[in-house]
């Protein structure tokens, strides 16, 4: 599914109106009706609904919703935050129709007046502002949003919760906290930012018949259907070599665990052969957890000479001079797909130019803190516009970037972007990144298209955590990274 900025949304709108010739009033009718139909599924027709409208087309959607719900037997009332003369364009067209019906209509005057109107209200619909919002909310929007946020009644936002910008990079203080947001055609970028996602509540895209340009280059979500369509198939006559030969380099005497989890997760997610490159002292401990792997000690000078389909480096490697020189050697010498994680990302900060020298694809898997450090900015700044920073970085350094978080953003060197929305807070624990690195390595070994492999790997990782919790196997408190191995199998099972 596509995700859009305000500019992209207005472009689709004008393409639909100007090139395809569909009148804006029809689009507004479609939007209002689609929202009304979905409100019917959630709010009983015995409920009193108050619809708040503003000066723009978001308000116009509200007039259509009011008419539709009224005609379907709901008790609806409308509160306009602007005077009649400020309502114009397509919104005015629908306002004039609404006026002919017996729907109680109020023009907002004061907090007291609104308190009176709200007395018997059981649900509100927010059509005050949509993607046309600029900067901080002005009066009376700010006051009304503040008053509504204090109420615990059911709140439906149309397109975007009032006050929240469509685009990343904008800092605002006030916004309506909705229970559900019905996004007109496409969800907007801020629904995927940690900072703003909670204002949206649940988000549901509603098709209103917009016609996008031929090949839109929008960000897309990656979900179960995408995985289903692209998951590498296991052919009956395949052998272990069919599924690639992978190398995981990591682990130190102090941190043996990470590399174990990466290797095991890779094998659990379909890798054919995995070799672990680690310190000699680590091998006996790791081998008891991953007996399926083969081992090399990183002190042997020629351990990189074998050909591997894909290599992952960095987990639990440490930040010693010896570890750094090993990482450099790997980045320079590995002639296949290479994934850099954890301590390899730490090393990269001072050595980013090495990435530009690589002739084979490179994947970086930072979390927000690691990415901010690579960019030399604060995490807060990164999280204000993670899509923009990711795209610029991936293009500049010619890498595939997996920016891990509650919304994982995957970007390729051409700037194509996908976002993964599954997973849960149980993953916020040491080791879950190591498991992800293993799943990604495995998919890199098996898949043809790299960005598809990365998207599938991230989705399987999140789905494993969701599966374990939804089925009561673990909770968001006690879930451990090693438990994910069990989840991976269960998720694969749902595709067979
Ligand atoms: N094809 C489509 O995309 C469709 C979208 N629809 C709906 O239309 C809105 C976008 O409409 P637009 O008129 O461009 O913007 P808004 O309704 O969000 O309001 C603009 C309005 O708000 C005032 N304003 C701006 N910033 C502030 C502020 N900080 N405080 C107070 N007031 C502010 C500004 O002066 C303008 O008057 C979209 O979201 C959809 O809901 C169509 O209905 C269907 C087709
Ligand atoms: K709104």
């Amino acid at each position: 599914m596509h995700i859009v900025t305000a500019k992209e949304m207005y472009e689709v709108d004008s393409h639909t109106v100007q090139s395809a010739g569909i009148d804006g009033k029809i689009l507004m009718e479609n939007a209002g009706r689609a929202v009304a139909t979905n409100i019917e599924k959630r709010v009983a027709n015995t409920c009193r609904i108050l619809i708040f409208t503003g000066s723009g087309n978001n308000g116009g959607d509200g007039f259509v919703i009011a008419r539709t719900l009224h005609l379907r037997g709901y008790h609806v009332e409308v509160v306009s935050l602007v005077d009649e003369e400020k309502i114009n364009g397509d919104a005015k067209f629908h306002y004039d129709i609404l006026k002919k019906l017996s729907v109680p209509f109020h023009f907002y005057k004061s907090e007291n007046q609104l308190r009176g109107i709200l007395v018997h209200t059981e649900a509100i619909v927010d059509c005050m502002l949509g993607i046309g919002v600029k900067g901080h909310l002005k009066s009376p929007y700010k006051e009304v949003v503040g008053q509504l946020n204090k109420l615990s009644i059911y709140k439906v936002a149309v397109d975007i919760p009032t006050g929240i910008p469509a685009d990343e990079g904008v800092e605002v203080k006030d916004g309506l906290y909705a229970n559900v947001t019905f996004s007109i055609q496409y969800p907007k970028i801020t629904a995927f930012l940690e900072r703003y996602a909670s204002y949206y509540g649940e988000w549901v895209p509603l098709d209103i018949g917009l016609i996008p340009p031929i090949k839109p280059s929008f960000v897309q979500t990656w979900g179960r259907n995408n995985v289903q369509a692209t998951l590498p198939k296991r052919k009956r006559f395949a052998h272990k070599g069919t599924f690639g030969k992978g190398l995981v380099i990591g682990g130190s005497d102090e941190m043996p665990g990470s590399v174990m989890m990466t290797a095991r997760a890779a094998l659990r997610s379909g890798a054919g052969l995995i070799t672990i490159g680690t310190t000699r002292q680590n091998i006996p401990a790791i081998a008891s957890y991953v007996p399926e792997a083969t081992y090399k000690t990183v002190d042997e000078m020629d351990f990189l000479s074998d050909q591997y389909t894909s290599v992952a480096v960095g987990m639990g490697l440490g930040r010693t001079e010896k570890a750094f020189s090993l990482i450099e050697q790997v980045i320079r010498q590995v002639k296949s797909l290479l994934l850099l994680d954890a301590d390899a990302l730490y090393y990269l900060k001072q050595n980013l130019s090495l990435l530009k020298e690589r002739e084979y694809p490179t994947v970086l898997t930072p979390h927000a803190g690691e990415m901010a450090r690579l960019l030399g900015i604060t995490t807060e700044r990164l999280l204000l516009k993670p899509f923009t920073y990711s795209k610029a970085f991936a293009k500049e350094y010619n890498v595939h970037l997996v920016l891990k978080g509650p919304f994982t953003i995957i970007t390729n060197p051409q700037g194509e972007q996908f976002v993964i929305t599954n997973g849960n807070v149980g993953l916020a624990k040491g080791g879950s990144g190591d498991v992800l690195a293993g799943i990604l390595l495995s998919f890199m070994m098996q898949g043809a298209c790299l960005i598809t492999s990365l998207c599938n790997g991230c989705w399987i990782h999140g789905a494993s955590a969701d599966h374990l919790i939804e089925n009561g196997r673990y909770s968001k408190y006690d879930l451990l990274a090693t438990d994910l191995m069990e989840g991976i199998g269960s998720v694969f099972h749902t595709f067979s």
Side-chain angles (χ1 to χ4, degrees), residues 11-82:
E11 279 166 11
V12 176
D13 183 44
S14 73
H15 187 261
T16 308
V17 174
Q18 278 151 31
S19 308
I22 300 180
D23 195 297
K25 296 180 196 74
I26 296 177
L27 296 175
M28 195 172 275
E29 179 73 19
N30 292 354
R33 280 180 169 268
V35 173
T37 299
N38 279 276
I39 289 176
E40 272 188 302
K41 291 180 193 160
R42 290 156 190 262
V43 181
N45 68 0
T46 47
C47 286
R48 294 169 73 93
I49 301 177
L50 198 54
I51 300 176
F52 289 81
T53 57
S55 58
N57 286 337
N58 195 249
D61 297 346
F63 301 139
V64 178
I65 297 167
R67 166 167 43 92
T68 312
L69 289 178
H70 168 80
L71 294 174
R72 290 180 188 176
Y74 281 80
H75 178 96
V76 288
E77 296 191 22
V78 178
V79 176
S80 169
L81 271 64
V82 294

Side-chain angles (χ1 to χ4, degrees), residues 125-440:
V125 182
D126 161 24
C127 299
M128 292 177 274
L129 295 175
I131 60 172
V133 68
K134 299 266 179 308
H136 296 291
L137 284 179
K138 295 190 199 99
S139 189
Y141 294 87
K142 181 177 156 66
E143 292 76 10
V144 172
V145 164
Q147 202 173 343
L148 294 177
N149 276 345
K150 287 190 202 126
L151 304 177
S152 59
I153 52 177
Y154 192 68
K155 300 184 189 82
V156 175
V158 174
D159 205 16
I160 197 161
T162 285
I164 301 307
D167 300 344
E168 58 175 2
V170 185
E171 275 185 277
V172 295
K173 291 195 294 279
D174 304 298
L176 186 90
Y177 280 100
N179 294 89
V180 61
T181 299
F182 292 116
S183 307
I184 303 302
Q185 196 86 21
Y186 309 113
K188 315 301 179 287
I189 293 280
T190 45
F192 305 90
L193 299 187
E194 290 175 41
R195 184 189 187 93
Y196 294 125
S198 57
Y199 288 92
Y200 281 80
E202 184 194 351
W203 56 262
V204 181
L206 298 181
D207 186 348
I208 67 157
L210 289 175
I211 303 171
I214 306 291
K215 240 185 148 217
S217 58
F218 309 148
V219 178
Q220 293 179 62
T221 56
W222 190 266
R224 188 180 173 83
N225 291 346
N226 304 96
V227 180
Q228 176 93 57
T230 57
L231 200 62
K233 303 281 177 294
R234 309 292 279 187
K235 293 201 184 82
R236 185 168 170 218
F237 299 108
H239 57 87
K240 63 191 177 194
T242 316
F243 305 119
K245 196 172 159 200
L247 173 65
V248 183
I249 306 166
S252 52
D253 296 350
E254 295 76 28
M255 292 179 282
S258 330
V259 76
M260 292 186 194
M261 288 187 275
T262 303
R264 196 165 167 84
L267 287 159
R268 278 276 187 223
S269 27
L273 291 161
I274 288 288
T275 299
I276 301 177
T278 191
T279 61
R280 182 168 295 283
Q281 207 175 319
N282 263 338
I283 293 176
I286 303 179
S288 64
Y289 183 69
V290 202
E292 300 85 355
T294 58
Y295 293 84
K296 295 252 179 180
T297 73
V298 286
D299 299 324
E300 284 168 25
M301 285 308 288
D302 65 340
F303 86 106
L304 281 176
S305 59
D306 287 356
Q307 275 304 310
Y308 295 97
T309 327
S310 303
V311 176
V313 64
M315 330 60 194
L317 203 54
R319 295 173 185 177
T320 59
E321 277 308 311
K322 200 171 157 195
F324 289 160
S325 96
L326 174 64
I327 294 165
E328 179 176 343
Q329 192 189 343
V330 170
I331 297 174
R332 287 190 189 281
Q333 291 182 18
V334 167
K335 293 190 172 26
S336 57
L337 304 186
L338 174 63
L339 181 149
L340 301 169
D341 189 37
D343 294 324
L345 297 172
Y346 188 90
Y347 163 81
L348 262 192
K349 167 72 181 159
Q350 309 300 336
N351 303 278
L352 280 167
S353 59
L354 276 183
L355 294 173
K356 295 186 180 175
E357 292 168 27
R358 275 187 52 78
E359 287 168 21
Y360 295 83
T362 315
V363 177
L364 268 54
T365 54
H367 54 61
E370 289 167 331
M371 187 68 215
R373 189 174 170 276
L374 283 175
L375 291 165
I377 59 173
T378 61
T379 306
E380 291 68 37
R381 196 156 158 220
L382 166 68
L383 291 180
L384 201 54
K385 39 182 188 171
F387 289 92
T388 305
Y389 280 118
S390 293
K391 191 186 270 196
F393 188 93
K395 281 182 163 182
E396 176 168 4
Y397 292 103
N398 192 31
V399 294
H400 282 70
L401 187 69
V402 177
L403 177 56
K404 299 180 289 197
F407 302 107
T408 292
I409 301 168
I410 299 156
T411 313
N412 69 9
Q414 292 72 45
E416 281 180 276
Q417 294 189 300
F418 295 88
V419 57
I420 310 283
T421 60
N422 67 1
N424 60 69
V425 71
L427 287 170
K429 245 183 213 175
S432 52
D434 301 318
V435 173
L436 176 66
I439 303 174
L440 295 180

